[in-house]
Amino acid sequence: CILCAIRDHAKDIASLEVFRTEKFIVSVNLYPFNPGHVMIFPLRHIENIADLTTDEVMALHELTIKTINILKEEFKPSGFNVGYNLGSFSGASISHIHLHIVPRFPNELGFLDVIAHTRVMVVDPYNICERLKKRFN
């Protein structure tokens, strides 16, 4: 699992981790839809959203709010998409549950551009990773 490899600091995996709590990791998406597109995922390998404990759900909610506030400060987006891709037909390519937070901006590429399997690199995810590490710390 790529997210478990990030969690375990695997040497052969590029990590875009920006923040870690005792239960979750915030990571920049390697193929972002927009600047600041991050994923939050649990440290323990969970494939079913129903397997999150009540404590994890609360911690995830608090971290989601913190992350959105940081993204607002750093990128000044006009809005956000927040959600999961559950199952292969939803676009999920990683079974380890992860929450996407995608800042939205006027005059951006639409999701149809992305859904058409085009990898549009709107920003350097490594640069975004460094910017967000500063904000979280």
Side-chain angles (χ1 to χ4, degrees), residues 67-77 80:
T67 301
I68 287 171
N69 286 335
I70 287 171
L71 293 171
K72 282 179 183 177
E73 292 172 12
E74 186 65 27
F75 298 104
K76 315 260 186 292
F80 291 92

Side-chain angles (χ1 to χ4, degrees), residues 14-16 28 30 123-131:
S15 175
L16 293 169
V28 171
L30 184 58
V123 293
D124 176 6
Y126 294 95
N127 174 273
I128 298 300
C129 183
E130 292 307 312
R131 288 172 64 182

Side-chain angles (χ1 to χ4, degrees), residues 63-127:
L63 186 54
T64 299
I65 298 304
K66 176 180 182 144
T67 301
I68 287 171
N69 286 335
I70 287 171
L71 293 171
K72 282 179 183 177
E73 292 172 12
E74 186 65 27
F75 298 104
K76 315 260 186 292
S78 299
F80 291 92
N81 288 117
V82 179
Y84 300 96
N85 296 329
L86 302 174
S88 60
F89 286 102
S90 72
S93 59
I94 301 171
S95 60
H96 189 138
I97 195 94
H98 54 285
L99 178 74
H100 288 270
I101 302 177
V102 182
R104 302 309 302 260
F105 302 91
N107 302 318
E108 68 184 35
L109 290 174
F111 272 101
L112 289 179
D113 299 303
V114 178
I115 291 173
H117 303 289
T118 303
R119 301 270 176 152
V120 178
M121 191 68 64
V122 292
V123 293
D124 176 6
Y126 294 95
N127 174 273

Side-chain angles (χ1 to χ4, degrees), residues 8-89:
D8 297 340
H9 305 288
K11 300 279 187 240
D12 58 338
I13 300 296
S15 175
L16 293 169
E17 179 180 330
V18 295
F19 189 69
R20 184 181 290 231
T21 68
E22 68 179 47
K23 296 180 189 304
F24 291 93
I25 292 173
V26 179
S27 176
V28 171
N29 192 304
L30 184 58
Y31 301 107
F33 291 155
N34 282 329
H37 178 177
V38 299
M39 301 181 307
I40 303 175
F41 59 93
L43 291 173
R44 68 186 186 100
H45 184 91
I46 300 172
E47 295 186 11
N48 184 334
I49 192 169
D51 292 337
L52 289 167
T53 67
T54 301
D55 286 344
E56 287 170 329
V57 169
M58 292 306 297
L60 176 58
H61 179 72
E62 290 172 2
L63 186 54
T64 299
I65 298 304
K66 176 180 182 144
T67 301
I68 287 171
N69 286 335
I70 287 171
L71 293 171
K72 282 179 183 177
E73 292 172 12
E74 186 65 27
F75 298 104
K76 315 260 186 292
S78 299
F80 291 92
N81 288 117
V82 179
Y84 300 96
N85 296 329
L86 302 174
S88 60
F89 286 102

